[in-house]
Amino acid sequence: MTVTDTTDADHPPPEERPQLAGPAVAQEFARLFDQYAVPMHRYLARRVGAEQAHDLVSETFLTAFRQRESYDPALAAAKAWLYGIATNLARRHVRQEIRGLQATARAGRREADNLAAHDGLVAERVDAQNLARRIAPAIADLSDGDRDVLLLTSWAGLTTVEVADALGIPVGTVRSRLHRVRRQLRTLTTSEEAHDHD
């Protein structure tokens, strides 16, 4: 996982804000599904596993269709609205998410042990696995709000404005949570690297 320090410009990119009412609503939802289902599946698969992600993508679009009258294009872009629904559904599966992160940590330890004797390219893989091993438990320990902000930004690729719209919180709150989480993760990885060199 890559955590970057990029911030959004003062003006967000042009956003898609369709009207989800009227006779063409089925075609509009089909288009939204074609546009967002694959990246949303990638995001959800990293949170709850690939099999569960299939169900959650379907559930996200079914929920969105049922709640289409509550969508207000003036309040959020369709992308943010859909990812907000997906994140709320994923939150219900938080136990699986935390177990998945802990499994990533265990797998990273096992692979690092198995590959430690190799050099060159294998050494880079061990470094990446060690980083995943250190970060996964820390992500599992985050509050729901902090974890959602981090993963929507890093795994789903949403901007801070889109994350704010998805979660229904101010942009400033998203930025402060990201800053705090990044600082925690940097402190963790720095202390681990210092420990590894001792």
Side-chain angles (χ1 to χ4, degrees), residues 33-55:
F33 185 87
D34 290 345
Q35 186 170 356
Y36 295 119
V38 171
M40 183 179 291
H41 183 272
R42 282 194 300 266
Y43 161 68
L44 290 168
R46 295 182 79 176
R47 293 195 71 159
V48 297
E51 189 173 325
Q52 187 67 46
H54 288 298
D55 295 338

Side-chain angles (χ1 to χ4, degrees), residues 65-195:
F65 188 78
R66 288 185 191 121
Q67 297 177 359
R68 64 190 180 276
E69 292 181 6
S70 70
Y71 172 66
D72 184 352
L75 296 179
K79 177 181 179 182
W81 180 62
L82 291 168
Y83 272 92
I85 293 170
T87 298
N88 285 333
L89 293 172
R91 218 182 260 154
R92 294 181 190 166
H93 302 274
V94 70
R95 289 191 185 101
Q96 293 97 321
E97 178 181 20
I98 290 173
R99 282 198 296 267
L101 291 165
Q102 290 167 341
T104 298
R106 287 191 299 274
R109 282 194 297 272
R110 282 195 301 273
E111 188 162 337
D113 291 342
N114 292 339
L115 298 177
H118 297 280
D119 58 2
L121 184 59
V122 174
E124 292 177 13
R125 288 182 61 202
V126 170
D127 287 344
Q129 290 294 333
N130 284 337
L131 180 61
R133 175 182 55 82
R134 290 191 301 260
I135 290 178
I139 294 172
D141 288 340
L142 293 173
S143 69
D144 288 346
D146 285 355
R147 188 182 315 110
D148 290 341
V149 165
L150 175 67
L151 299 183
L152 279 168
T153 304
S154 300
W155 288 359
L158 269 62
T159 66
T160 55
V161 172
E162 289 171 333
V163 172
D165 288 345
L167 300 179
I169 58 177
V171 175
T173 301
V174 173
R175 289 184 177 138
S176 65
R177 286 182 184 177
L178 274 177
H179 178 72
R180 180 175 62 246
V181 169
R182 287 171 175 156
R183 190 174 61 237
Q184 289 172 348
L185 293 178
R186 275 195 209 99
T187 300
L188 173 71
T189 55
T190 302
S191 65
E192 288 280 342
E193 285 169 3
H195 177 70

